[in-house]
């Protein structure tokens, strides 16, 4: 199978503040033990107030440009995957473009949540194949802290600036969302892509799917134009700015659909699951990754997880993992790498790449 586009460099940044599980347990009814046992997460990074998704995106982009040995001025197309833009509109792409000191080049936002990175790779590949882009910057960036229902005092405790006791009523309110707030972290990962000079190296295939029937298993029931006004005081008071998530349904879908997508992309590319040197699953929950690994019968040495350190950073998880694997030598030239993810929409899919 011929590759037309390839990744030339990668990089990532996280939010500024490391938040261990114990800090989350101070503001809601949870524990380090519960979080580790059910999700594998030990810590996450949160941004300071004032940092926007575009700032993380630019930080990751600069690192990816350095890694690829490419100057920002050489970039001719920007694609950003995020579900948490700085503003309702415009998207993050135009902000990233300006903050990198660029102008005129197209900047595109895609909204595929946790499968943003696998979907965006197909968009990037298509743009490069068709000659529309020669040096493309693709970023997955996410800030989840804006969703979290904590008060100012609660944030001071979470961020380690205060050890104040949180009033029980406030803890009870926060605990309504405890299954959600403990899972997410803020970060961005970026890659620089271009035409593959060697047809055996680069992106080899995609298996992408969407099923819109279960939208309400993971969505934000506010801040949208199904409502007038699209966000209101009542919505805020009811906590409707926080995502609704039926964790069990998402979990089951993930451990079923992700292995299916891996089999499908391998069949399309004429390889087998056994040929995969490294599987990088979207980091939603370590138990999901373990379920996917088991379904695919892959040994530990061929599956990469880092959710323990970052939590779920949505569109950023896969490029962060890719960068770490490249830096540590876990991905070597010629390796067959598979990326797989599933998220709100529901969108899911897998991408195969020869490094
Ligand atoms: O990338 C897509 C984004 N989302 C996901 O991938 C989420 C996928 N799902 C999951 O990761 C898991 O379903 C969760 C981590 C969200 C929940 O784990 P679970 O093992 O499915 O737990 P559960 O929802 O069945 O809840 C078990 C218990 C419940 O208490 P009772 O009813 O047994 O008394 C929950 O209220 O755990 C309770 N619980 C918590 N306890 C302490 C839920 N969240 C927490 C918490 N701390 N943070």
């Amino acid at each position: 199978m011929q590759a037309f586009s390839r990744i030339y460099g990668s990089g990532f940044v996280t939010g500024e503040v490391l938040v261990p599980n114990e800090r989350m347990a101070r503001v809601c009814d949870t524990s380090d033990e519960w979080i580790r046992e059910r999700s594998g997460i030990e810590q996450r990074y949160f941004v300071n107030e004032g940092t926007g998704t575009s700032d993380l995106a630019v930080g990751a982009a600069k690192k990816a440009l350095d890694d690829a040995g490419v100057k920002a001025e050489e970039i001719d197309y920007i694609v950003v995957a995020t579900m948490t833009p700085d503003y309702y509109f415009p998207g993050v792409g135009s902000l990233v473009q300006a903050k990198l000191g660029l102008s005129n080049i197209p900047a595109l936002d895609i909204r595929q949540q946790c499968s943003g990175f696998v979907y965006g790779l197909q968009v990037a590949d298509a743009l490069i194949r068709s000659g529309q882009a020669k040096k493309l910057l693709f970023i997955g960036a996410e800030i989840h802290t804006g969703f979290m229902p904590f008060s100012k005092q609660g944030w001071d405790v979470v961020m380690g600036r205060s050890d104040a006791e949180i009033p029980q009523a406030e803890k009870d309110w926060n605990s309504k969302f405890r299954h959600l707030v403990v899972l997410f972290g803020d970060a961005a990962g970026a890659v620089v892509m271009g035409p593959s000079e060697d047809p055996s190296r680069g992106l080899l295939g995609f298996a992408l799917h969407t099923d819109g029937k279960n939208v309400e298993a993971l969505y934000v029931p506010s801040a949208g134009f199904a409502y007038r006004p699209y966000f209101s005081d009542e919505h805020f008071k009811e906590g409707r700015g926080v995502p609704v998530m039926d964790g069990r349904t998402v979990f089951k879908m993930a451990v079923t659909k992700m292995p299916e997508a891996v089999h499908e992309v391998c069949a399309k590319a004429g390889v087998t699951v056994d040929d995969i040197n490294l599987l990088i699953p979207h980091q939603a929950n370590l138990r999901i990754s373990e379920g996917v690994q088991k379904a695919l019968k892959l040994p530990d040495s061929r599956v990469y997880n880092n959710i323990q350190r970052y939590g779920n950073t949505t569109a950023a998880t896969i490029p962060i993992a890719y960068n770490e694997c490249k830096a540590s030598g876990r991905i070597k030239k010629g390796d067959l790498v598979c990326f797989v993810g599933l998220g709100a929409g529901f969108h899911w899919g897998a991408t195969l790449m020869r490094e």
Side-chain angles (χ1 to χ4, degrees), residues 29-31 34-35 38-39 114 178-180 182-184 218 245 247-248 250-251 282 284-285 288 312 342-344:
D29 186 11
T30 189
S31 64
W34 192 95
I35 303 169
R38 303 285 179 133
S39 72
C114 293
R178 63 181 177 171
H179 62 297
L180 203 110
V182 299
L183 298 181
F184 293 92
L218 185 52
M245 183 177 78
R248 284 269 159 123
V250 182
F251 195 105
H282 163 57
N285 184 323
I288 291 177
N312 179 352
L342 174 138

Side-chain angles (χ1 to χ4, degrees), residues 79-152:
V79 180
V80 184
T82 186
M83 63 169 197
T84 53
D86 294 29
Y87 308 117
Y88 188 87
F89 75 83
V92 164
S94 52
L95 300 175
V96 169
Q97 188 223 55
K99 287 182 183 182
L100 284 173
L102 305 176
S103 57
N104 286 326
I105 61 160
L108 174 71
D109 278 63
I110 64 161
R111 289 185 53 154
Q112 258 62 36
Q113 293 67 247
C114 293
S115 50
F117 204 78
V118 280
Y119 263 75
L121 285 176
Q122 189 184 50
V123 171
D125 182 63
L127 288 167
I128 293 165
R129 268 180 197 235
S130 63
Q132 307 295 310
K134 294 209 161 38
K135 285 210 164 55
L136 184 147
L137 180 60
F138 173 36
I139 309 164
E142 229 65 79
I143 289 183
H144 297 92
T145 35
F147 283 133
M148 297 187 188
F150 312 140
S151 67
K152 187 179 174 317

Side-chain angles (χ1 to χ4, degrees), residues 56-339:
L56 291 184
V58 167
K62 287 183 175 166
K63 290 195 171 182
L65 287 164
D66 270 0
D67 190 43
V70 168
K71 292 195 184 68
E73 309 81 77
E74 295 176 61
I75 294 297
D76 59 6
Y77 215 115
I78 295 172
V79 180
V80 184
T82 186
M83 63 169 197
T84 53
D86 294 29
Y87 308 117
Y88 188 87
F89 75 83
V92 164
S94 52
L95 300 175
V96 169
Q97 188 223 55
K99 287 182 183 182
L100 284 173
L102 305 176
S103 57
N104 286 326
I105 61 160
L108 174 71
D109 278 63
I110 64 161
R111 289 185 53 154
Q112 258 62 36
Q113 293 67 247
C114 293
S115 50
F117 204 78
V118 280
Y119 263 75
L121 285 176
Q122 189 184 50
V123 171
D125 182 63
L127 288 167
I128 293 165
R129 268 180 197 235
S130 63
Q132 307 295 310
K134 294 209 161 38
K135 285 210 164 55
L136 184 147
L137 180 60
F138 173 36
I139 309 164
E142 229 65 79
I143 289 183
H144 297 92
T145 35
F147 283 133
M148 297 187 188
F150 312 140
S151 67
K152 187 179 174 317
Q153 187 186 19
W155 273 118
D156 284 343
V157 171
V158 168
M159 301 298 254
R161 296 187 292 258
S162 156
D163 280 327
E165 257 324 293
I166 298 297
Q168 193 55 46
E170 191 176 324
K171 261 191 147 178
D172 291 346
W173 170 251
N174 295 343
S175 298
K176 285 178 186 285
F177 313 100
R178 63 181 177 171
H179 62 297
L180 203 110
V181 294
V182 299
L183 298 181
F184 293 92
D186 301 336
V191 291
V192 174
M193 298 177 63
S196 182
E197 78 298 344
D198 171 353
S200 71
R201 295 184 71 193
L203 296 171
L204 296 174
F206 307 89
L208 302 183
H209 298 279
T210 296
D211 182 349
K213 284 197 293 293
N214 267 334
V215 164
E216 289 174 8
L218 185 52
Y219 81 122
V220 180
S222 185
F225 292 85
Y227 309 101
R228 190 181 299 170
Y230 76 109
F231 194 79
S232 64
D233 211 23
E234 285 72 44
H235 282 194
F236 179 75
K237 287 194 189 116
E238 291 161 11
R240 290 171 60 165
V242 185
V244 164
M245 183 177 78
D246 175 351
R248 284 269 159 123
T249 299
V250 182
F251 195 105
K252 278 189 211 142
M253 221 183 294
V255 292
T256 315
K257 300 291 184 195
M258 284 162 70
E260 280 174 17
V262 173
H263 278 294
E264 184 187 341
V265 78
C266 287
K268 277 186 173 177
V271 299
T272 67
V273 172
D274 221 31
D275 295 322
I276 295 172
N277 297 100
L278 192 68
L279 179 78
I280 299 186
H282 163 57
Q283 302 290 293
N285 184 323
L286 188 60
R287 309 298 159 230
I288 291 177
S289 293
E290 287 167 351
V292 171
Q293 175 180 347
K294 195 169 162 212
L296 293 171
K297 301 188 179 70
L298 287 169
D300 290 352
S301 59
R302 290 203 266 148
V303 182
Y304 188 73
N305 289 299
N306 61 10
I307 190 168
Q308 299 89 335
R309 288 175 282 131
Y310 304 112
N312 179 352
T313 60
T314 302
T317 65
I318 292 177
I320 293 174
Y322 172 73
N323 177 273
E324 288 191 338
C325 292
K326 283 282 290 179
S328 67
R330 188 125 178 217
I331 295 179
K332 292 179 282 304
K333 187 176 171 184
D335 279 354
L336 189 62
V337 181
C338 185
F339 306 118

